[in-house]
Amino acid sequence: MSQSFAHNNGTSNMSYLRPSNGNNKSARALIVASFALTTMITASGAFLPHPSFPPPSLPSQRSSCSSASSCSSIILQAHHGQSSSLNYSHGDDVLLPPSPKRDNRTAAATTRTKPPQRLPNGGRITLVGAGPGLPDLLTLAAHRVLSDPDALVVVDRLVSKEIREVIAGEVRVARKYPGCAEQAQEEIYEWCKGGLREGRHVVRLKIGDPFVFGRGGEEVLEFRKFGVDPVVIPGVSAAFSAPLLGSIPVTHRGISNQVVMCTGYGRNNTSPDLIRYHEEQTVVFLMAVGRLRELCRDLVSKAGYPKDTPVGIVERAGCPEQRTVVGTMDTIADLAERYDVKPPSTIVVGEVVNVLLTEEDYDSFGGEEGVVVGGGGVISGVADWQSYFGQ
């Protein structure tokens, strides 16, 4: 006579027989070995056929993207001897096998296929970085694309007038002002979709490097939803070029051995996490001039920055009206207000601010405190650049 009992391991129900004679060591060992083997197989994800498997009803594969439903899909295909590929299609979605380490941050990586770079009607998108503002700092590839007379070029408002004058095709400028950025972004997408429907070459032109706090990645993902994978032409990032155009190197031997890039605005206009003070560190802030006073106050009170830490602002880098405003953590906000500093501006924090600038640089602006026009010993601004090359 034997007794039966069921073990539920959360995946399948297994029935075991227990001999009535407790002294039957061989049978007991067999039971223990069978249980251990079942546990290992279950944990590894390899399921043996069982009379009660697959279960009578499976969860709807379209109803949820949870680990449970994904696992059910994988088990079902393995049981019926179908492909063991790691990608399982759920209609329009593509899911990967569940992973205990996966979270929402990896959701964008679940789609492994890209749409074509050109639509059947010829429509295509090129995402181009415009650099800091000087046309001579455009890459050759960017200049070639902007010279296409048939292109529809969708431009951010902060792209300089000098670069817009290089464009040979139709130009539409997005009015991304504070408070209406999201509406302007939707308008950009509508313009791009309209151009694609017409079979045009759509050029999305963004300031600096579009992928350094410029939503470049977000736009690539959105364009893929339109059915086209954009070609990307990188731009010279203002994080490195704008400071140098204002005679501020971001690193210097013995002064700064590390550079941190930050944005002044997080998602939904939140403030980003602060970078703790380090004497040999340069911090470059992009899109932060609008909250400069709050930023300096928090860096001093919460991140340990001394009040006399040098701060420089390079406004409209590479343009004829470029200015560099220099002060300290304690004075820079007042100076920015006095001289009415506007975007696009790049803020540099650290001892590198004073490495190359001289008294002569300040005298070039009539000796006014804290302001430098041009870039001192570094070529800056359209006039200086053309003069240097004899144009």
Side-chain angles (χ1 to χ4, degrees), residues 17-323:
L17 295 179
R18 174 181 296 172
S20 57
N21 183 359
N23 296 324
N24 193 332
K25 295 182 179 180
S26 297
R28 180 176 300 175
L30 178 61
I31 291 172
V32 171
S34 299
F35 180 79
L37 178 61
T38 302
T39 302
M40 288 189 293
I41 291 173
T42 302
S44 67
F47 295 90
L48 296 176
H50 187 270
S52 63
F53 185 82
S57 61
L58 289 172
S60 171
Q61 295 181 5
R62 293 290 297 171
S63 62
S64 171
C65 289
S66 66
S67 296
S69 62
S70 301
C71 186
S72 297
S73 173
I74 296 168
I75 293 170
L76 180 61
Q77 297 202 30
H79 177 71
H80 289 290
Q82 298 178 9
S83 171
S84 59
S85 170
L86 292 182
N87 290 330
Y88 293 88
S89 176
H90 285 194
D92 296 330
D93 306 322
V94 177
L95 298 180
L96 293 176
S99 169
K101 295 183 179 180
R102 184 180 171 197
D103 55 29
N104 291 334
R105 291 173 295 178
T106 62
T110 59
T111 301
R112 297 299 186 187
T113 59
K114 294 180 181 179
Q117 291 183 340
R118 190 184 295 263
L119 297 177
N121 66 357
R124 59 194 174 105
I125 295 181
T126 306
L127 179 58
V128 180
L134 186 65
D136 287 307
L137 292 182
L138 284 169
T139 64
L140 290 174
H143 196 281
R144 187 179 301 117
V145 167
L146 297 180
S147 299
D148 180 358
D150 298 322
L152 167 62
V153 186
V154 179
V155 185
D156 283 344
R157 71 177 179 88
L158 293 181
V159 173
S160 70
K161 174 176 63 68
E162 290 74 26
I163 287 182
R164 292 203 300 268
E165 291 174 352
V166 174
I167 300 171
E170 179 185 352
V171 180
R172 298 182 189 176
V173 181
R175 304 297 178 182
K176 274 193 175 183
Y177 292 101
C180 64
E182 293 305 320
Q183 294 92 322
Q185 190 67 39
E186 289 303 317
E187 184 178 43
I188 288 169
Y189 290 145
E190 287 301 317
W191 286 343
C192 292
K193 279 193 286 189
L196 289 174
R197 292 191 193 102
E198 297 170 2
R200 303 182 66 178
H201 179 197
V202 178
V203 178
R204 178 70 178 102
L205 185 63
K206 297 173 69 67
I207 192 171
D209 182 339
F211 294 83
V212 179
F213 306 123
R215 300 179 73 155
E218 295 178 36
E219 294 198 8
V220 167
L221 295 175
E222 190 68 22
F223 294 150
R224 287 177 180 174
K225 294 178 183 177
F226 300 167
V228 62
D229 191 35
V231 172
V232 175
I233 298 178
V236 177
S237 176
F240 300 118
S241 59
L244 189 56
L245 287 169
S247 280
I248 301 175
V250 294
T251 66
H252 190 81
R253 188 187 297 271
I255 301 295
S256 174
N257 56 27
Q258 55 185 277
V259 183
V260 180
M261 291 185 293
C262 302
T263 176
Y265 293 86
R267 197 172 185 86
N268 299 321
N269 287 332
T270 58
S271 295
D273 294 336
L274 299 175
I275 304 300
R276 295 294 303 177
Y277 174 74
H278 188 283
E279 183 179 1
E280 295 188 358
Q281 174 180 268
T282 302
V283 184
V284 180
F285 288 94
L286 302 178
M287 302 177 294
V289 72
R291 55 173 43 162
L292 179 60
R293 188 175 298 278
E294 173 189 352
L295 178 64
C296 291
R297 183 182 65 245
D298 289 345
L299 287 173
V300 171
S301 63
K302 299 178 181 179
Y305 283 73
K307 290 185 177 182
D308 61 354
T309 302
V311 182
I313 305 175
V314 183
E315 179 189 33
R316 300 193 63 79
C319 298
E321 60 272 29
Q322 174 185 313
R323 294 185 300 176

